[in-house]
Amino acid sequence: LIDHGSASCGNLISLVLELEGVPNIVTDEPSSSSQIYLAAKEIGIAHGLTNALRGSIPVLSTTGKLIVPAELCVKHGVKTPRYLLSALALGDGEGKKVLQSAVHDLVDYARSYLEKARKRRDRVLSEPGGEVAVRAFLPGLASETFLDRLERKSFDLTDQNLRTIRLVEHVRCALKLYDASVQKKY
């Protein structure tokens, strides 16, 4: 999922940066690569992981495919039939509990990539095109909003209210995006 997030969402953010004329400084030294594009990849990974979580129940219910990575399933003892039943709110309490633990790990991974990107903020802003890049990174805040909602629901992807977004939350998210844009944060 991390590679997928980087290759899909990370590349889309990078494409937006290129379209905005933000230069990608590429050198032979990995440590001296463009901080903007490194942050774009990290935000893309976080956004990709969040999208996988957001879309997991509809995908599961129509295709039966498991979105949680196999290594997390093994780590938390998620068994495929129990996962399927738990994800569809038909399983036992233990199946639901281990699924929530695996989801918690995915949320932690997504948050860690957001934090890595945020630690680059000063370096991003110091590069040519940094202020433009910050606006391209705002989808990371939308991802964080979903991750926060998932955490409030105890990492339960089957919670019916998880996908119900009320007007107040839309307004809060919009204000958060506006505030971040003005303060050049992401």
Side-chain angles (χ1 to χ4, degrees), residues 16 24 38 53 74 82 136 144 158 161 166 185:
V16 169
N24 187 359
L38 291 172
L53 288 166
V74 170
R82 287 177 72 186
E144 186 175 48
T158 64
N161 295 317
R166 305 203 188 297
K185 294 184 177 182

Side-chain angles (χ1 to χ4, degrees), residues 20-178:
E20 288 290 333
V22 176
N24 187 359
I25 304 162
V26 179
T27 66
D28 293 334
E29 297 283 328
S31 61
S32 66
S33 295
S34 170
Q35 295 297 304
I36 292 171
Y37 282 83
L38 291 172
K41 288 290 183 190
E42 290 162 348
I43 290 170
I45 291 168
H47 197 61
L49 290 172
T50 303
N51 285 344
L53 288 166
R54 191 181 336 220
S56 61
I57 297 302
V59 167
L60 180 68
S61 63
T62 57
T63 67
K65 291 185 179 175
L66 189 64
I67 299 262
V68 177
E71 56 271 10
L72 285 180
C73 290
V74 170
K75 176 182 174 184
H76 293 285
V78 177
K79 307 273 190 277
T80 303
R82 287 177 72 186
Y83 171 87
L84 291 170
L85 291 173
S86 295
L88 298 172
L90 302 171
D92 59 15
E94 183 61 27
K96 186 174 183 176
K97 183 178 172 185
V98 296
L99 176 60
Q100 286 171 303
S101 295
V103 169
H104 186 273
D105 274 5
L106 276 177
V107 168
D108 287 346
Y109 286 136
R111 286 190 192 280
S112 74
Y113 279 98
L114 280 174
E115 281 308 308
K116 285 180 189 178
R118 287 176 175 154
K119 286 180 181 176
R120 297 180 190 281
R121 179 180 173 268
D122 291 339
R123 289 175 283 166
V124 163
L125 287 170
S126 71
E127 288 186 12
E131 290 190 21
V132 172
V134 169
R135 289 193 306 268
F137 297 162
L138 291 177
L141 289 172
S143 292
E144 186 175 48
T145 300
F146 179 79
L147 296 173
D148 290 345
R149 189 174 337 120
L150 188 54
E151 188 171 353
R152 284 191 306 273
K153 301 296 180 185
S154 302
F155 307 101
D156 182 6
L157 288 173
T158 64
D159 188 304
Q160 296 297 322
N161 295 317
L162 186 60
R163 283 158 185 77
T164 304
I165 304 168
R166 305 203 188 297
L167 178 63
V168 171
E169 189 169 0
H170 279 291
V171 170
R172 261 192 233 131
C173 186
L175 290 172
K176 187 176 178 181
L177 288 168
Y178 175 76

